[in-house]
Amino acid sequence: MTSPTPDDLRDPRLDAAWRDFSHEEAPAALSEAVRAAARREVGAGPLRTGSATRSPRVLDATRPQRRWWPLAAAATIGVIAFGLLQLEPAVNGGPSVVSDMPATPAQPAPAAPQALPSEPAAPRATAPASPARRDAVPADIAAGATAEMRSVEMRPREGARLPVADWIALIRRLRDEGRIDEAAKELAALRVAYPDHEQRLPADLRDWRVPGK
Amino acid sequence: MYAPAIAHPDGDSRGDEALMLAYAAGDVAAFDALYLRHKGGVYRFLIRQCGNAAAADELFQDVWMNVIRARASYAATAKFATWLYRIAGNRLVDHWRATGRAEFVNTDPADDDADPLAATAGARSDQPEVRTEATQIGARLRSALASLPSAQRDAFLLHQEGGLALTEIAALTGVGAETVKSRIRYAQTRLRAQLEDLR
């Protein structure tokens, strides 16, 4: 440092010559090492641009004592999420079943099927209608869906076999709606699917013949 | 005792002592400002004293590491620069003891009474290599500085490179201010003599 001092010992010519002669500086690497040591000693992190002008609030928020806060927040969120997942099945009333089969509505018991014997334990080609599925689609029906929509929903896929009671209800509905060909087709399919159809069919369908045939 | 707040090249208007206390409290930026102010002077003081860049590098780092370590015990009872150059002087003493050279502060009053011009002329005439470098001002000043009695050299360098006032050098070297002034004048006379034939 060659700043003037308040005395009368300055010689301008000597000062100028001295400044030309003596202008060495510490190597940059050495300076960096010293400054890094200074930062280390006070526990500061790596030098960042503008660190000298950071506000006290920022300095306070980033001090080492608060570095565990994000971890604690993440752990709390995780515990809450786990708890909610544990509660979810109880809230929904049980696991739901996903199927591409149309749901069959809970049928109002027609008069005839009450006399039918119980369902055979034959293997089904379609997925069984779970209570959840039964609740899903018939809700639309109960809400006043059209008869056409209802019949489409109830119609089994080709080659599939419905429970006898459902199938009988479908045939009756088709017949009553005047869709005679469809009703006859479903009746024929039922007869194929259930060899003991003579015992299962109510009298009005057992003896029903398609008009004109 | 302390200099009033002035504009410094580092942009910090605080005095050296305030910066050192701020650093002791954890303000790294204060150390950077302090370092920027004094690194050049300290480095040149050391390299002029030991004449060896490698040794000066090592001493320089030691000095600043001592400053860093001593921050907690620093008390602004003296000017920071005085404290800093005391550390540098003590480190030089250690270095010279290790290398078998003279001590930092020569308290022999005979040095102050010596004829600086005669001593310089004798030294130059005895050193042919110095004469061959005489065309360069830097070389002349360097050799003249090396030929100074250590007390004069110390006083001159503390004044020239450290920017210390007479009273501060007096406090640092343990002699009166007038003695310091005399030493500096002798040193200046010798150095100026190297420039006479270049006018």
Side-chain angles (χ1 to χ4, degrees), chain A residues 9 18, chain B residues 45 49 103-120 144-161 169 173 175 179-191:
Chain A
L9 291 171
W18 186 265
Chain B
F45 173 77
Q49 290 278 18
E103 290 190 1
F104 172 48
V105 176
N106 184 348
T107 55
D108 182 0
D111 280 347
D112 296 338
D113 299 328
D115 178 1
L117 293 177
T120 303
L145 189 68
S147 69
L148 287 175
S150 61
Q152 292 177 16
R153 185 173 60 244
D154 295 340
F156 175 80
L157 288 174
L158 289 170
H159 181 259
Q160 191 75 21
E161 297 290 5
I169 299 171
T173 57
V175 298
T179 301
V180 172
K181 189 173 184 177
S182 174
R183 289 174 177 175
I184 293 173
R185 284 199 183 283
Y186 273 118
Q188 288 178 328
T189 301
R190 286 194 182 188
L191 296 171

Side-chain angles (χ1 to χ4, degrees), chain A residues 1-2 5 7-11 13 15 18 21-22 24-25 30-31 35 37-39 41-42 52, chain B residues 23 28-29 31-32 35 37 39 41 43-44 48 61 68 71 138 159-161 163 166 181 188 192 195:
Chain A
M1 181 186 280
T2 56
T5 51
D7 54 50
D8 57 354
L9 291 171
R10 289 294 173 188
D11 178 330
R13 184 163 184 259
D15 281 351
W18 186 265
F21 156 64
S22 183
E24 296 95 334
E25 290 285 347
L30 189 55
S31 285
R35 295 174 68 193
R39 289 192 294 273
E41 284 292 319
V42 297
Chain B
Y23 173 60
V28 178
F31 179 86
D32 288 343
Y35 182 76
R37 289 180 192 179
K39 66 185 178 80
Y43 187 76
R44 288 189 290 273
R48 293 280 93 78
Q61 187 167 6
I68 292 167
R71 71 189 184 285
H159 181 259
Q160 191 75 21
E161 297 290 5
L166 293 180
K181 189 173 184 177
Q188 288 178 328
R192 198 180 299 119
L195 308 176

Side-chain angles (χ1 to χ4, degrees), chain A residues 34-96:
Chain A
V34 169
R35 295 174 68 193
R39 289 192 294 273
R40 256 194 327 271
E41 284 292 319
V42 297
L47 184 63
R48 281 177 278 186
T49 303
S51 63
T53 59
R54 281 189 292 173
S55 68
R57 183 180 297 178
V58 172
L59 291 171
D60 189 47
T62 56
R63 66 187 184 188
Q65 290 86 343
R66 291 191 178 182
R67 287 178 186 162
W68 60 272
W69 283 18
L71 186 62
T76 303
I77 291 170
V79 169
I80 292 171
F82 181 78
L84 289 175
L85 286 174
Q86 294 300 309
L87 290 174
E88 190 196 25
V91 170
N92 291 343
S96 59

Side-chain angles (χ1 to χ4, degrees), chain B residues 6-186:
Chain B
I6 57 174
H8 293 283
D10 51 70
D12 199 319
S13 61
R14 289 177 289 181
D16 289 350
E17 296 74 28
L19 288 174
M20 187 60 197
L21 291 172
Y23 173 60
D27 182 357
V28 178
F31 179 86
D32 288 343
L34 208 51
Y35 182 76
L36 190 62
R37 289 180 192 179
H38 292 284
K39 66 185 178 80
V42 171
Y43 187 76
R44 288 189 290 273
F45 173 77
L46 292 170
I47 201 169
R48 293 280 93 78
Q49 290 278 18
C50 67
N52 178 331
D57 287 358
E58 184 181 344
L59 292 171
F60 178 83
Q61 187 167 6
D62 286 349
V63 168
W64 284 103
M65 289 306 297
N66 281 333
V67 170
I68 292 167
R69 289 192 203 103
R71 71 189 184 285
S73 60
Y74 173 77
T77 55
K79 191 176 177 183
F80 171 79
T82 307
W83 182 66
L84 175 64
Y85 281 91
R86 184 184 299 282
I87 293 173
N90 290 338
R91 193 64 193 85
L92 270 170
V93 169
D94 294 340
H95 170 71
W96 284 332
R97 282 176 180 161
T99 57
R101 288 184 58 184
E103 290 190 1
F104 172 48
V105 176
N106 184 348
T107 55
D108 182 0
D111 280 347
D112 296 338
D113 299 328
D115 178 1
L117 293 177
T120 303
R124 293 186 66 212
S125 62
D126 293 340
Q127 298 175 4
E129 69 277 12
V130 172
R131 286 197 298 272
T132 60
E133 296 173 357
T135 54
Q136 298 178 0
I137 294 176
R140 288 187 178 197
L141 291 175
R142 186 181 296 111
S143 64
L145 189 68
S147 69
L148 287 175
S150 61
Q152 292 177 16
R153 185 173 60 244
D154 295 340
F156 175 80
L157 288 174
L158 289 170
H159 181 259
Q160 191 75 21
E161 297 290 5
L164 300 185
L166 293 180
T167 53
E168 292 162 354
I169 299 171
L172 189 58
T173 57
V175 298
E178 285 303 314
T179 301
V180 172
K181 189 173 184 177
S182 174
R183 289 174 177 175
I184 293 173
R185 284 199 183 283
Y186 273 118

Side-chain angles (χ1 to χ4, degrees), chain A residues 112-140:
Chain A
Q114 289 180 355
L116 293 176
S118 60
E119 289 282 330
R124 296 184 173 194
T126 58
S130 69
R133 204 188 71 184
R134 284 177 182 272
D135 290 343
V137 177
D140 293 335

